[in-house]
Amino acid sequence: PENSVANIRVCQNKGYELYETDIQRTKDGHFVIIHDPTIDRETTGSGSASEMNLNELKALFKKFRDGSKSQHRVATLEEFLVEGNGRVVFKADLKPGVNRYFNEIMAIVKRHQAMNGIVFRVPYRDADLLEAFRKNGVVFEGNQMMFMVSNKNQVDDIRQRFDPTTIQVNLRKDDPTDARTIELIRYANRKGFVVETHAEGTEDDWRVLIGAGVRIFHTSKPAKMKSFLQQMDRPPDA
């Protein structure tokens, strides 16, 4: 099931280098891996993870994508870090409100010696908050941050303040390869970033994005994307 501990091995076995996680905080202060604002779609329960204690969530079962019940339970961040250690890099989204607990999350990451196994994808608007955490003694490296940006000024600011390895250029779903987006991708490349985007549009759009400099795709259809990339790698007469 989505966001389950068992799915980490599936990710590794299929050769996917990054695994997206979604971190939420329970009512009693534990961090769990849940995507949606409610748990209704992903579990046999209902309601919000932030309004439930961990033992209440652990009593539930995860659902498969078709809605059927699995035997897997809601995972905690710690369980993910233990299972994924040395196997996969997590790209973690901090769901609304969770960013203010960033110091607690980093303490868990450090305790499990997983500093090289997680990248936090965060909106540009959180840059000031994360800088404040760092000034207050929370230790993290720039390459653990993947900021989502929409213009050149944001690219420059993130480079100056955090000097990360990767950056996400936000796309328009209705026109993922418009001229402004392509120029922003190229600009981020020139500034030394490895660029990620969402895999919006068609395969033709993906080719344009790759040509502009995209090297990481965020996608809900990794098998399709992997097949596409393998076809691109083949010589024309293969």
Side-chain angles (χ1 to χ4, degrees), residues 21-36:
T21 60
D22 303 278
I23 302 175
Q24 299 196 36
R25 188 175 185 271
T26 66
K27 185 178 180 180
D28 54 345
H30 295 273
F31 296 99
V32 292
I33 310 300
I34 294 285
H35 179 273
D36 296 355

Side-chain angles (χ1 to χ4, degrees), residues 117-147:
I118 192 165
V119 175
F120 294 95
R121 189 180 67 161
V122 292
Y124 174 77
R125 65 175 179 270
D126 284 350
D128 289 344
L129 177 65
L130 290 169
E131 187 173 35
F133 273 119
R134 187 165 61 181
K135 288 180 178 178
N136 287 321
V138 179
V139 177
F140 61 89
E141 300 294 332
N143 60 12
Q144 289 179 300
M145 295 294 130
M146 181 189 290
F147 285 92

Side-chain angles (χ1 to χ4, degrees), residues 80-100:
F80 254 55
L81 293 175
V82 169
E83 181 65 24
N85 194 3
R87 297 189 179 98
V88 67
V89 176
F90 297 117
K91 188 182 71 173
D93 284 351
L94 305 181
K95 290 304 183 179
V98 178
N99 55 6
R100 60 195 174 108

